[in-house]
Amino acid sequence: MIKTPGMRLGLVCLVAASVGLSLAIVSISKVLLVIAALVVLLRGGRSAADVAPLQTMWTPRLATLVVFVFAFSLLWTTAPMDSALGAVGKYGKFLVIPALLVLIRTRQEALYALAFFLGAQVFLLLSAWLLYFHVPVPWATANMAKTSYAVFSSYLDQGIMSAVVAAVFWHLKALAPTRPLFFAAIVVSILALGNVLIVFSGRTGYLVAVAMVSLAIFWALPGKYRFASVFVPPLIALVVFFSFDKVAQRFSVIKAEISTYSSKPDPLSSSGVRLNFWKTSVRAIAEKPLMGSGAGSWVTEFNRIERLKTPAHKSLDSYSHGNPHQEFLLWGVQLGVGGIFLLFSFFGSILFDLRKMGHPVSLAGQSVLLALIVSCLFNSSLYDAYIGDFFCVSLGVLLAYGFHSRETVQGMTSVDV
């Protein structure tokens, strides 16, 4: 299938760019990528360099383990088999990370992948700004593109993505080969942050933006002053709240919804739905803490528990309500407490690998990781399509670039010695 380096690199670059394009392109390209990586691994005569990232990094091992565990849970899942297989397929996106690490062979190839990833994100960012100023964007396919200004997905997804892109450009500006590109990266970072706070109305995006700015300030402070960084997030949140009307309105709605739910637990509002999902998910985990209910079982377990409370409960369907909008609880319901530990282990493996890499890439990657963790607290960001693909591709590309950059530095050092 992959007969030339050009075809291999072209596929890698397509996947890197796809998460700034439509969901159809994302889906097709990631399947081709995983198949290509399997062909490379299964063929004979491959060199040690082909599998070096898999042997020396923890992230690809944990990513593969995640898919295996979810597939293994099909043996005891309470979900209909089509829903269970669909859930395993959704977590199949984890394989994009080891696939990228297998197919990207050099620092130059990683740089191409990074350039395509960042270029597609700039395209997405500028398209959203055009929609905001009511400029026709023929390629915008989102259902509410003219009102929510999201181009291909939802304002929730694109708000989170914009916050991540702001952090990535900010930290990677140090890699710019020229001063104009250095300042261009700063401009893109500011535009992306403005995209979150002005254009979109996703509340998780606001929280991720606060986290990204707070982390950047933490790293910018001298070591002896970093203790003061504990005060940075609330200060940034207050500045954002009082500076942007849309942010203030959205968080005021949360306060009102939670207050209403506290006095009368009627899950009609966005916050009320989440709180009800979370409460029921905790009960489902408590009932089956060791092994959970298996892949794709969240809807089945939610409906079962709700019917015990209210026999007239109208069942949710797995297509429109397949998760509790909280990744940690989703893994707990499906895999038990061990599933939550597995998710933390996956995050830990990423952090462990990133901290061994060069400074700018390490900071950019750790920012993406923090954004993912914050997103998972309020959404099922790894389970969901598009936003989950975005996180897997961005982490895969950054890990590949950091790995091969480190190899290059080590090679130069050994030559000098």
Side-chain angles (χ1 to χ4, degrees), residues 213 245 289:
V213 174
D245 292 337

Side-chain angles (χ1 to χ4, degrees), residues 209-229:
V210 170
M212 297 298 93
V213 174
S214 301
L215 191 59
I217 292 174
F218 170 79
W219 280 322
L221 289 172
K224 61 181 179 180
Y225 296 117
R226 284 185 174 176
F227 71 92
S229 62

Side-chain angles (χ1 to χ4, degrees), residues 323-338:
N323 65 84
H325 300 288
Q326 219 274 7
E327 194 76 44
F328 297 93
L329 292 176
L330 179 60
W331 286 46
V333 171
Q334 296 178 103
L335 301 176
V337 175

